[in-house]
Amino acid sequence: MDAKEISLNEKEVKPVVDMLNDYLANYHIHYQKLRGCHWNVKGQNFFTLHIKFEELYTNAQLTIDEIAERVLTLGKPPHSRFSDYIKESTIKEVNTIGMDDMTMVETVLDDMSKLIELERDLLEATDKAGDDGSNDMVNRFMQFKEKTTWMLRSFLGKK
């Protein structure tokens, strides 16, 4: 498939595809970190956070699939190797074994902040390329993270 098949200009949409692949890489690292938090959370907040981390990684898994499928819709292959994810991601791996439960929440919030930043950049690029489909998708993902950020900050007792 080619971007022109969905009435988009190949040259204008190329930066969007590149950014979506970077976004995909970041999401994979975030996803794995959420899995680690889910598996390794301990303490008095175990029941609350164990469930929340599972909810978040399940959402991230669905998001990853949708991002990859959008890249394919735009006519390019999505990144699919962990070496690419690690190399291209600005979100870095962490060891969640032994991590304090509140530190886990802070770490997830840091990731979400970086993802929201990437999403805002993507919204500008998709707007410039006239790619309303990618724009709508990214906007939906960002809204979820904005609300989740508010909830996690409230959980931590922050403004």
Side-chain angles (χ1 to χ4, degrees), residues 66-82:
E66 200 167 338
I67 295 164
E69 288 175 353
R70 186 63 190 175
V71 171
L72 287 163
T73 299
L74 296 173
K76 302 297 178 203
H79 292 319
S80 58
R81 297 182 313 168
F82 283 105

Side-chain angles (χ1 to χ4, degrees), residues 8 11 25-26 34 45 61 65 71 79 81 116 135 147:
L8 289 171
K11 185 177 178 185
N26 279 277
L34 289 167
N45 295 307
Q61 182 182 22
D65 191 55
V71 171
H79 292 319
R81 297 182 313 168
I116 290 170
N135 191 288
K147 183 176 180 180

Side-chain angles (χ1 to χ4, degrees), residues 52-63:
K52 180 51 82 174
F53 291 142
E54 183 174 12
E55 174 192 318
L56 293 174
Y57 80 64
T58 299
N59 178 272
Q61 182 182 22
L62 295 171
T63 300

Side-chain angles (χ1 to χ4, degrees), residues 71-130:
V71 171
L72 287 163
T73 299
L74 296 173
K76 302 297 178 203
H79 292 319
S80 58
R81 297 182 313 168
F82 283 105
S83 60
D84 292 331
Y85 303 149
I86 291 167
K87 182 176 70 174
E88 294 186 24
S89 179
T90 56
I91 293 175
K92 299 302 174 197
E93 292 181 297
V94 296
N95 185 357
T96 57
I97 298 170
M99 184 182 281
D100 174 78
D101 58 351
M102 295 303 181
T103 303
M104 287 179 173
V105 175
E106 290 279 1
T107 300
V108 169
L109 280 167
D110 288 344
D111 285 2
M112 288 191 171
S113 176
K114 290 173 185 167
L115 289 167
I116 290 170
E117 186 178 325
L118 291 171
E119 288 160 347
R120 293 196 188 285
D121 291 342
L122 264 163
L123 289 174
E124 287 181 28
T126 57
D127 187 51
K128 185 176 179 181

